Structure formats: C-alpha cells, structure tokens
Coordinates of all heavy atoms in Angstrom, one line a residue:
Q1 N 51.4 73.3 31.2 CA 50.8 74.2 32.2 C 50.7 75.5 31.5 O 51.6 76.0 30.8 CB 51.8 74.3 33.4 CG 51.2 75.0 34.5 CD 52.0 74.8 35.8 OE1 53.0 74.2 35.8 NE2 51.5 75.3 36.9
V2 N 49.5 76.1 31.7 CA 49.2 77.5 31.1 C 48.8 78.4 32.2 O 48.4 78.0 33.2 CB 48.2 77.4 30.0 CG1 48.6 76.5 28.8 CG2 46.8 76.9 30.5
K3 N 49.0 79.7 31.9 CA 48.6 80.7 32.9 C 47.1 80.9 32.9 O 46.4 80.5 32.0 CB 49.2 82.1 32.5 CG 50.7 82.0 32.5 CD 51.3 83.4 32.1 CE 52.8 83.3 32.1 NZ 53.4 84.5 31.6
A4 N 46.6 81.5 34.0 CA 45.1 81.6 34.2 C 44.5 82.4 33.0 O 43.3 82.2 32.7 CB 44.9 82.3 35.5
D5 N 45.2 83.3 32.4 CA 44.6 84.2 31.4 C 44.9 83.6 30.0 O 44.8 84.3 29.0 CB 45.2 85.6 31.5 CG 46.7 85.7 31.2 OD1 47.4 84.6 31.2 OD2 47.2 86.8 31.1
F6 N 45.2 82.3 29.9 CA 45.6 81.7 28.6 C 44.5 82.0 27.5 O 44.8 82.4 26.4 CB 45.7 80.2 28.8 CG 45.8 79.4 27.5 CD1 47.0 79.4 26.8 CD2 44.7 78.6 27.1 CE1 47.1 78.6 25.6 CE2 44.8 77.9 25.9 CZ 46.0 77.9 25.2
A7 N 43.2 81.7 27.8 CA 42.2 81.8 26.8 C 42.1 83.2 26.2 O 41.9 83.4 25.0 CB 40.8 81.3 27.3
K8 N 42.2 84.2 27.1 CA 42.1 85.6 26.6 C 43.4 86.1 25.9 O 43.3 86.7 24.9 CB 41.8 86.5 27.8 CG 41.6 88.0 27.5 CD 41.2 88.8 28.7 CE 41.1 90.2 28.3 NZ 40.8 91.1 29.5
T9 N 44.5 85.8 26.5 CA 45.8 86.3 26.0 C 46.1 85.7 24.6 O 46.7 86.3 23.8 CB 46.9 86.0 27.0 OG1 46.6 86.6 28.2 CG2 48.3 86.5 26.5
Y10 N 45.8 84.4 24.4 CA 46.1 83.7 23.2 C 44.9 83.5 22.3 O 44.9 82.5 21.5 CB 46.9 82.4 23.5 CG 48.2 82.7 24.2 CD1 48.2 82.6 25.6 CD2 49.3 83.0 23.5 CE1 49.4 82.9 26.3 CE2 50.5 83.3 24.1 CZ 50.5 83.3 25.5 OH 51.7 83.6 26.2
A11 N 44.0 84.4 22.3 CA 42.8 84.3 21.5 C 43.1 84.3 20.0 O 42.5 83.7 19.2 CB 41.8 85.5 21.8
S12 N 44.2 85.1 19.6 CA 44.5 85.1 18.2 C 46.0 85.0 17.9 O 46.6 85.6 17.0 CB 44.0 86.4 17.5 OG 44.5 87.5 18.2
S13 N 46.7 84.3 18.8 CA 48.2 84.1 18.7 C 48.5 82.7 19.2 O 47.8 82.1 20.0 CB 48.9 85.2 19.5 OG 48.6 85.2 20.8
P14 N 49.7 82.3 18.9 CA 50.2 80.9 19.3 C 50.8 80.9 20.7 O 51.3 81.9 21.2 CB 51.2 80.5 18.3 CG 51.8 81.8 17.9 CD 50.7 82.8 17.9
Y15 N 50.7 79.8 21.3 CA 51.4 79.6 22.6 C 52.3 78.4 22.5 O 51.8 77.3 22.1 CB 50.3 79.3 23.7 CG 50.8 79.0 25.1 CD1 51.2 80.0 25.9 CD2 51.0 77.7 25.5 CE1 51.7 79.7 27.2 CE2 51.4 77.4 26.8 CZ 51.8 78.4 27.6 OH 52.3 78.2 28.8
T16 N 53.5 78.5 22.8 CA 54.5 77.4 22.7 C 54.3 76.4 23.8 O 54.2 76.8 25.0 CB 55.9 77.9 22.7 OG1 56.1 78.9 21.7 CG2 56.9 76.8 22.5
T17 N 54.2 75.1 23.5 CA 54.0 74.1 24.4 C 55.1 73.0 24.3 O 55.9 73.1 23.4 CB 52.6 73.3 24.2 OG1 52.7 72.6 23.0 CG2 51.5 74.3 24.1
E18 N 55.2 72.2 25.3 CA 56.0 71.0 25.2 C 55.1 69.8 25.5 O 55.0 69.4 26.6 CB 57.2 71.1 26.1 CG 58.2 70.0 25.8 CD 59.5 70.2 26.6 OE1 60.0 71.3 26.6 OE2 60.1 69.2 27.0
P19 N 54.4 69.3 24.5 CA 53.5 68.2 24.7 C 54.2 66.9 25.2 O 55.4 66.7 24.9 CB 52.9 67.9 23.4 CG 53.9 68.4 22.4 CD 54.6 69.6 23.1
M20 N 53.4 66.1 26.0 CA 54.0 64.9 26.6 C 52.9 63.8 26.4 O 51.8 64.0 26.7 CB 54.3 65.2 28.0 CG 54.5 64.1 28.9 SD 55.0 64.8 30.5 CE 53.6 64.3 31.5
A21 N 53.4 62.7 26.0 CA 52.5 61.5 25.9 C 52.2 60.9 27.3 O 53.1 60.8 28.1 CB 53.1 60.5 25.0
V22 N 51.0 60.5 27.5 CA 50.6 59.8 28.7 C 50.2 58.4 28.4 O 50.0 57.6 29.3 CB 49.5 60.5 29.5 CG1 50.0 61.8 30.0 CG2 48.2 60.7 28.7
L23 N 50.1 58.0 27.1 CA 49.7 56.7 26.7 C 50.4 56.4 25.4 O 50.4 57.3 24.5 CB 48.2 56.6 26.6 CG 47.6 55.2 26.2 CD1 47.9 54.2 27.3 CD2 46.1 55.4 26.0
G24 N 50.9 55.2 25.2 CA 51.5 54.9 23.9 C 53.0 55.0 24.0 O 53.6 55.4 24.9
T25 N 53.7 54.7 22.8 CA 55.1 54.7 22.8 C 55.7 55.9 22.0 O 57.0 56.0 21.9 CB 55.6 53.4 22.0 OG1 55.0 53.4 20.7 CG2 55.1 52.1 22.8
C26 N 54.9 56.8 21.5 CA 55.5 57.9 20.8 C 55.9 59.0 21.8 O 55.0 59.7 22.4 CB 54.4 58.4 19.8 SG 55.0 59.9 18.9
S27 N 57.2 59.2 21.9 CA 57.7 60.2 22.8 C 58.9 60.9 22.3 O 60.0 60.8 22.9 CB 58.0 59.6 24.2 OG 56.8 59.3 24.9
P28 N 58.9 61.6 21.1 CA 60.1 62.3 20.6 C 60.5 63.4 21.5 O 59.6 64.0 22.2 CB 59.6 62.8 19.3 CG 58.1 62.9 19.3 CD 57.7 61.8 20.3
P29 N 61.7 63.8 21.6 CA 62.2 64.9 22.4 C 61.4 66.1 22.1 O 61.3 66.5 20.9 CB 63.7 65.0 22.1 CG 64.1 63.7 21.6 CD 62.8 63.1 20.9
G30 N 60.9 66.8 23.1 CA 60.1 68.1 22.9 C 58.7 67.8 22.4 O 58.0 68.8 22.2
G31 N 58.3 66.6 22.3 CA 57.0 66.2 21.8 C 56.9 66.3 20.3 O 57.7 66.8 19.6
P32 N 55.8 65.7 19.8 CA 55.6 65.7 18.3 C 55.5 67.2 17.8 O 54.9 68.0 18.4 CB 54.3 65.0 18.1 CG 54.1 64.1 19.3 CD 54.8 64.9 20.4
E33 N 56.1 67.4 16.6 CA 56.1 68.8 16.1 C 54.8 69.4 15.9 O 54.6 70.6 16.2 CB 56.9 68.8 14.8 CG 58.4 68.5 14.9 CD 59.1 68.3 13.6 OE1 58.6 68.8 12.6 OE2 60.2 67.8 13.6
M34 N 53.8 68.7 15.4 CA 52.4 69.2 15.1 C 51.7 69.6 16.4 O 50.6 70.2 16.4 CB 51.6 68.3 14.3 CG 51.9 68.3 12.8 SD 51.6 69.9 12.0 CE 49.8 70.0 12.1
L35 N 52.2 69.2 17.6 CA 51.5 69.5 18.8 C 52.2 70.6 19.6 O 51.9 70.8 20.8 CB 51.4 68.2 19.6 CG 50.8 67.0 18.9 CD1 50.7 65.8 19.8 CD2 49.4 67.3 18.3
R36 N 53.2 71.2 19.1 CA 54.0 72.2 19.9 C 53.5 73.6 20.0 O 54.0 74.3 20.8 CB 55.4 72.2 19.2 CG 56.2 71.0 19.4 CD 57.6 71.1 19.0 NE 58.2 69.8 19.1 CZ 59.4 69.5 18.5 NH1 60.0 70.4 17.8 NH2 59.9 68.3 18.7
Y37 N 52.5 73.9 19.2 CA 51.9 75.2 19.4 C 50.4 75.1 19.6 O 49.7 74.4 18.9 CB 52.1 76.1 18.2 CG 53.5 76.6 18.1 CD1 54.4 75.9 17.3 CD2 53.9 77.8 18.7 CE1 55.7 76.3 17.2 CE2 55.3 78.2 18.6 CZ 56.1 77.4 17.8 OH 57.4 77.8 17.7
A38 N 49.8 75.7 20.6 CA 48.4 75.8 20.9 C 48.0 77.3 20.9 O 48.7 78.1 20.3 CB 48.1 75.2 22.3
G39 N 46.9 77.6 21.5 CA 46.4 79.0 21.4 C 45.3 79.2 20.4 O 44.6 78.2 20.1
Y40 N 45.2 80.4 19.9 CA 44.2 80.7 18.9 C 42.8 80.3 19.5 O 42.0 79.6 18.8 CB 44.4 80.1 17.5 CG 45.6 80.8 16.8 CD1 46.8 80.2 16.9 CD2 45.4 82.0 16.2 CE1 47.9 80.8 16.2 CE2 46.4 82.6 15.5 CZ 47.7 82.0 15.6 OH 48.7 82.7 14.9
T41 N 42.6 80.6 20.7 CA 41.4 80.2 21.4 C 40.1 80.8 20.8 O 39.0 80.4 21.1 CB 41.4 80.5 22.9 OG1 41.6 81.9 23.1 CG2 42.5 79.8 23.6
N42 N 40.2 81.7 19.9 CA 39.1 82.3 19.2 C 38.6 81.3 18.1 O 37.5 81.5 17.5 CB 39.3 83.7 18.6 CG 40.5 83.7 17.6 OD1 41.1 82.7 17.4 ND2 40.7 84.9 17.0
I43 N 39.3 80.3 17.8 CA 38.8 79.2 16.9 C 37.9 78.4 17.7 O 38.3 77.7 18.7 CB 40.0 78.4 16.3 CG1 41.0 79.2 15.5 CG2 39.5 77.2 15.5 CD1 42.2 78.5 15.0
I44 N 36.6 78.4 17.3 CA 35.6 77.7 18.1 C 35.3 76.3 17.8 O 34.6 75.6 18.5 CB 34.3 78.6 18.2 CG1 33.7 78.7 16.8 CG2 34.6 79.9 18.8 CD1 32.4 79.3 16.7
D45 N 35.7 75.8 16.6 CA 35.4 74.4 16.2 C 36.5 73.4 16.4 O 36.4 72.3 16.0 CB 34.9 74.4 14.8 CG 36.0 74.8 13.8 OD1 37.0 75.5 14.2 OD2 35.9 74.5 12.6
A46 N 37.6 73.8 17.1 CA 38.7 72.9 17.3 C 39.6 73.4 18.4 O 39.6 74.6 18.8 CB 39.6 72.8 16.0
Y47 N 40.4 72.5 19.0 CA 41.4 72.9 19.9 C 42.7 73.0 19.0 O 43.2 72.0 18.5 CB 41.6 71.9 21.0 CG 42.6 72.4 22.1 CD1 42.0 72.9 23.2 CD2 43.9 72.3 21.9 CE1 42.9 73.4 24.2 CE2 44.8 72.8 22.9 CZ 44.2 73.3 24.1 OH 45.1 73.8 25.0
F48 N 43.1 74.2 18.7 CA 44.2 74.5 17.8 C 45.5 73.8 18.2 O 45.9 74.0 19.3 CB 44.4 76.0 17.7 CG 45.6 76.4 16.9 CD1 45.5 76.5 15.5 CD2 46.8 76.7 17.5 CE1 46.6 76.8 14.8 CE2 47.9 77.1 16.8 CZ 47.8 77.1 15.4
L49 N 46.2 73.2 17.3 CA 47.5 72.7 17.4 C 48.2 72.8 16.1 O 47.6 72.7 15.0 CB 47.5 71.2 17.8 CG 46.9 70.9 19.2 CD1 46.6 69.4 19.3 CD2 47.8 71.4 20.3
R50 N 49.5 73.1 16.1 CA 50.2 73.3 14.9 C 51.7 73.1 15.1 O 52.2 73.3 16.2 CB 49.9 74.7 14.3 CG 50.5 75.0 13.0 CD 49.8 74.3 11.9 NE 50.2 74.8 10.6 CZ 50.9 74.2 9.7 NH1 51.4 73.0 10.0 NH2 51.2 74.7 8.5
D51 N 52.5 72.9 14.0 CA 53.9 72.8 14.1 C 54.7 74.1 13.9 O 55.9 74.1 14.0 CB 54.5 71.7 13.1 CG 54.1 72.1 11.7 OD1 53.3 72.9 11.5 OD2 54.8 71.5 10.8
N52 N 54.0 75.1 13.7 CA 54.6 76.5 13.7 C 53.6 77.5 14.2 O 52.4 77.1 14.5 CB 55.1 76.9 12.3 CG 54.0 77.0 11.3 OD1 53.0 77.5 11.5 ND2 54.3 76.4 10.1
G53 N 54.0 78.7 14.4 CA 53.1 79.7 15.0 C 51.9 80.1 14.1 O 51.0 80.8 14.6
G54 N 51.9 79.7 12.8 CA 50.8 80.2 12.0 C 49.5 79.5 12.2 O 49.4 78.4 12.6
E55 N 48.4 80.3 12.0 CA 47.1 79.8 12.3 C 46.7 78.7 11.3 O 46.1 77.7 11.7 CB 46.1 80.9 12.3 CG 44.6 80.4 12.5 CD 43.6 81.5 12.5 OE1 44.0 82.7 12.6 OE2 42.4 81.2 12.4
R56 N 47.0 78.9 10.1 CA 46.6 77.9 9.0 C 47.8 77.6 8.1 O 48.7 78.5 8.0 CB 45.4 78.5 8.2 CG 44.2 78.7 9.1 CD 43.1 79.3 8.2 NE 42.0 79.7 9.1 CZ 41.0 79.0 9.4 NH1 41.0 77.7 9.0 NH2 40.0 79.4 10.2
D57 N 47.8 76.5 7.5 CA 48.8 76.2 6.5 C 48.5 76.9 5.2 O 47.5 77.5 5.1 CB 49.0 74.7 6.4 CG 48.0 74.0 5.5 OD1 47.0 74.6 5.1 OD2 48.2 72.9 5.1
P58 N 49.4 76.8 4.2 CA 49.2 77.5 3.0 C 47.9 77.1 2.2 O 47.3 77.9 1.5 CB 50.4 77.1 2.1 CG 51.4 76.8 3.1 CD 50.7 76.2 4.3
D59 N 47.3 75.9 2.5 CA 46.1 75.5 1.9 C 44.9 76.0 2.7 O 43.7 75.6 2.3 CB 46.1 73.9 1.8 CG 47.2 73.4 1.0 OD1 47.5 74.0 0.0 OD2 47.7 72.3 1.3
G60 N 45.1 76.7 3.7 CA 43.9 77.3 4.5 C 43.3 76.3 5.5 O 42.3 76.5 6.0
V61 N 44.0 75.2 5.8 CA 43.5 74.2 6.7 C 43.9 74.6 8.2 O 45.0 75.0 8.4 CB 44.1 72.8 6.4 CG1 43.6 71.8 7.4 CG2 43.8 72.4 5.0
T62 N 43.0 74.4 9.1 CA 43.3 74.5 10.5 C 43.6 73.2 11.1 O 42.9 72.2 10.7 CB 42.1 75.2 11.3 OG1 41.8 76.4 10.8 CG2 42.4 75.3 12.8
Y63 N 44.6 73.0 11.8 CA 45.0 71.8 12.4 C 44.7 71.8 13.9 O 44.6 72.8 14.6 CB 46.5 71.5 12.2 CG 46.8 71.3 10.8 CD1 47.4 72.3 10.1 CD2 46.5 70.1 10.1 CE1 47.7 72.1 8.7 CE2 46.8 69.9 8.8 CZ 47.4 70.9 8.1 OH 47.7 70.8 6.8
G64 N 44.5 70.6 14.5 CA 44.2 70.4 15.9 C 43.3 69.3 16.2 O 43.2 68.4 15.4
L65 N 42.6 69.4 17.3 CA 41.7 68.4 17.7 C 40.3 68.9 17.4 O 39.8 69.9 18.0 CB 41.8 68.0 19.2 CG 40.9 67.0 19.8 CD1 41.0 65.6 19.0 CD2 41.2 66.8 21.3
F66 N 39.6 68.1 16.6 CA 38.2 68.5 16.2 C 37.3 67.4 16.8 O 37.7 66.4 17.3 CB 38.1 68.5 14.7 CG 38.8 69.6 14.0 CD1 40.1 69.6 13.9 CD2 38.0 70.7 13.5 CE1 40.8 70.7 13.3 CE2 38.7 71.7 12.9 CZ 40.0 71.8 12.8
A67 N 36.0 67.6 16.7 CA 35.0 66.7 17.2 C 35.2 65.3 16.6 O 34.9 64.3 17.2 CB 33.6 67.2 16.9
D68 N 35.7 65.2 15.3 CA 35.8 63.9 14.6 C 37.3 63.4 14.8 O 37.6 62.4 14.1 CB 35.4 64.0 13.2 CG 36.3 65.0 12.4 OD1 37.1 65.7 12.9 OD2 36.1 65.0 11.1
G69 N 38.1 64.0 15.6 CA 39.4 63.5 15.8 C 40.5 64.5 15.5 O 40.3 65.6 15.1
F70 N 41.8 64.1 15.6 CA 42.9 64.9 15.3 C 43.1 65.1 13.8 O 43.0 64.2 13.0 CB 44.2 64.3 15.9 CG 44.4 64.5 17.3 CD1 44.1 63.6 18.2 CD2 45.0 65.7 17.8 CE1 44.3 63.8 19.6 CE2 45.2 65.9 19.1 CZ 44.8 64.9 20.0
R71 N 43.4 66.4 13.5 CA 43.9 66.7 12.1 C 45.3 67.3 12.2 O 45.5 68.4 12.7 CB 43.0 67.8 11.5 CG 41.6 67.3 11.2 CD 40.7 68.3 10.5 NE 39.3 68.0 10.6 CZ 38.3 68.8 10.4 NH1 38.6 70.1 10.0 NH2 37.1 68.5 10.5
T72 N 46.2 66.4 11.9 CA 47.6 66.9 11.8 C 48.1 66.7 10.4 O 47.4 66.0 9.6 CB 48.5 66.0 12.7 OG1 48.4 64.7 12.3 CG2 48.1 66.1 14.2
R73 N 49.1 67.4 10.0 CA 49.5 67.3 8.6 C 50.2 65.9 8.3 O 50.3 65.5 7.2 CB 50.4 68.4 8.3 CG 50.8 68.6 6.8 CD 51.6 69.8 6.5 NE 51.7 70.0 5.1 CZ 51.0 70.8 4.4 NH1 50.0 71.5 4.9 NH2 51.2 70.9 3.1
Y74 N 50.7 65.3 9.4 CA 51.6 64.1 9.3 C 51.0 63.0 10.1 O 50.4 63.2 11.1 CB 53.0 64.5 9.7 CG 53.5 65.8 9.2 CD1 53.5 66.9 10.0 CD2 54.0 65.9 7.9 CE1 53.9 68.1 9.5 CE2 54.4 67.1 7.4 CZ 54.4 68.2 8.2 OH 54.8 69.4 7.8
D75 N 51.3 61.8 9.6 CA 50.8 60.6 10.4 C 52.0 59.7 10.8 O 52.1 58.6 10.5 CB 49.8 59.8 9.5 CG 49.1 58.7 10.3 OD1 49.0 58.9 11.5 OD2 48.7 57.7 9.7
N76 N 52.9 60.4 11.5 CA 54.1 59.7 12.0 C 54.3 60.1 13.5 O 53.6 61.0 14.0 CB 55.3 59.9 11.2 CG 55.7 61.4 11.1 OD1 55.5 62.1 12.0 ND2 56.2 61.8 9.9
C77 N 55.2 59.5 14.1 CA 55.5 59.8 15.6 C 56.1 61.2 15.7 O 55.6 62.1 16.4 CB 56.3 58.8 16.2 SG 56.8 59.1 17.9
D78 N 57.2 61.5 15.1 CA 58.0 62.7 15.3 C 57.2 64.0 15.0 O 57.4 65.0 15.6 CB 59.3 62.7 14.5 CG 60.3 61.7 15.1 OD1 60.1 61.2 16.2 OD2 61.3 61.4 14.5
Q79 N 56.5 63.9 13.9 CA 55.8 65.1 13.5 C 54.3 65.1 14.0 O 53.9 66.1 14.5 CB 55.8 65.3 12.0 CG 57.2 65.5 11.5 CD 57.3 65.5 10.0 OE1 57.0 64.4 9.4 NE2 57.7 66.6 9.4
G80 N 53.6 64.1 13.7 CA 52.1 64.1 14.0 C 51.8 63.4 15.3 O 50.6 63.3 15.7
G81 N 52.7 62.7 15.9 CA 52.4 61.9 17.1 C 51.6 60.7 16.8 O 51.1 60.1 17.7
G82 N 51.4 60.3 15.5 CA 50.6 59.2 15.2 C 49.2 59.4 15.5 O 48.4 58.4 15.7
T83 N 48.7 60.6 15.5 CA 47.3 60.9 15.9 C 46.4 61.2 14.8 O 45.2 61.4 15.0 CB 47.3 62.1 16.9 OG1 47.8 63.3 16.3 CG2 48.1 61.8 18.2
L84 N 46.9 61.4 13.6 CA 46.1 61.8 12.4 C 44.8 60.9 12.3 O 44.9 59.7 12.2 CB 46.9 61.7 11.1 CG 46.1 62.1 9.9 CD1 45.7 63.6 9.9 CD2 47.0 61.9 8.6
G85 N 43.6 61.5 12.4 CA 42.4 60.8 12.2 C 41.9 60.1 13.4 O 40.9 59.4 13.4
Q86 N 42.7 60.1 14.5 CA 42.4 59.4 15.8 C 41.5 60.3 16.7 O 41.7 61.5 16.7 CB 43.6 59.0 16.5 CG 44.5 58.1 15.7 CD 43.9 56.8 15.4 OE1 43.3 56.1 16.2 NE2 44.0 56.3 14.1
Q87 N 40.7 59.7 17.5 CA 40.0 60.4 18.6 C 41.1 60.7 19.7 O 42.1 60.0 19.8 CB 38.9 59.6 19.2 CG 37.7 59.4 18.2 CD 37.0 60.7 18.0 OE1 36.8 61.5 19.0 NE2 36.6 61.0 16.8
G88 N 40.8 61.7 20.5 CA 41.8 62.0 21.5 C 41.3 63.0 22.5 O 40.2 63.5 22.5
E89 N 42.1 63.2 23.5 CA 41.8 64.1 24.6 C 43.1 65.0 24.8 O 44.2 64.5 24.6 CB 41.5 63.4 25.9 CG 40.3 62.6 25.9 CD 40.0 61.9 27.2 OE1 40.6 60.8 27.4 OE2 39.4 62.5 28.1
I90 N 42.8 66.2 25.3 CA 43.9 67.0 25.6 C 43.8 67.5 27.1 O 42.7 67.9 27.5 CB 43.9 68.3 24.7 CG1 44.2 67.9 23.3 CG2 45.0 69.3 25.2 CD1 44.1 69.0 22.3
F91 N 44.8 67.3 27.9 CA 44.8 67.7 29.3 C 45.7 68.9 29.4 O 46.9 68.9 29.0 CB 45.4 66.6 30.2 CG 44.6 65.3 30.1 CD1 44.9 64.3 29.2 CD2 43.4 65.1 30.9 CE1 44.2 63.1 29.1 CE2 42.7 64.0 30.8 CZ 43.1 63.0 29.9
V92 N 45.2 70.0 30.0 CA 46.0 71.2 30.2 C 46.0 71.5 31.7 O 44.9 71.4 32.3 CB 45.4 72.4 29.5 CG1 46.2 73.6 29.7 CG2 45.3 72.1 28.0
R93 N 47.1 71.7 32.3 CA 47.2 72.0 33.7 C 47.8 73.4 33.9 O 48.5 73.9 33.1 CB 47.9 71.0 34.5 CG 49.3 70.8 34.1 CD 50.0 69.7 35.0 NE 51.4 69.8 34.7 CZ 52.3 69.8 35.6 NH1 52.0 69.7 36.9 NH2 53.6 69.8 35.3

C-alpha cells in the first residue's frame, strides 16, 4: 500500500516495501530481497525494484520490471523471488 503522493514523493528516492506473493511457492519472510525497494518513479522505462535503496548497482544496471520481464540480480527465491527473466505484473494498493 502506498500513499496518494507516491509517484511525486519518490521520483528520485527509494520507498521501502514488503512484497507478497499472490501466486507460486516463493514466500520468504519480508518478501524477496530484490523486491523490497520501489520508488524512483522518474525512471520511465521500468518499474524500479532493488534490494537496497540505491538506484543502480555498481555496474550501472537498473533493476525492476521492464517490458521484456523482470531484471533482478539473483535467480533464486530469497533474493530474486525466482523472477529473473520472467514476465510479471505488479499490483500496488
């Protein structure tokens, strides 16, 4: 759940989330690490997601949900939610 001013307030900063699976068996406590920060709504080619508050990793890569699927650094349940390279949807309430 995010506040009404989410897009404006978090245009260039992270927002801490607690992601929750609605399908599948991956449900680590607190949600997968790579999905715990959203925000950076000024990034226009992706829905930003990251395992820390930084916008990009040391290699300059942006992580999150892109038109071609999820880009997470890890392809496991606890860290990446098993979503690396997969198509997906994000529900925000």
Side-chain angles (χ1 to χ4, degrees):
Q1 190 166 3
V2 297
K3 297 178 183 178
D5 63 350
F6 169 77
K8 182 177 179 183
T9 302
Y10 296 96
S12 59
S13 61
Y15 177 82
T16 305
T17 69
E18 190 169 320
M20 164 176 114
V22 294
L23 181 66
T25 59
C26 178
S27 291
E33 292 174 19
M34 280 298 292
L35 309 180
R36 289 186 185 167
Y37 289 91
Y40 290 96
T41 57
N42 61 353
I43 296 175
I44 60 171
D45 62 340
Y47 191 98
F48 172 84
L49 295 167
R50 185 73 168 107
D51 59 343
N52 62 44
E55 179 178 343
R56 298 176 188 273
D57 80 347
D59 298 324
V61 178
T62 298
Y63 294 102
L65 180 57
F66 289 75
D68 61 353
F70 278 97
R71 293 183 196 165
T72 61
R73 190 174 188 98
Y74 316 99
D75 192 22
N76 58 32
C77 176
D78 289 348
Q79 293 172 301
T83 61
L84 180 63
Q86 302 294 314
Q87 289 292 317
E89 294 180 272
I90 296 175
F91 300 93
V92 179
R93 62 180 189 132

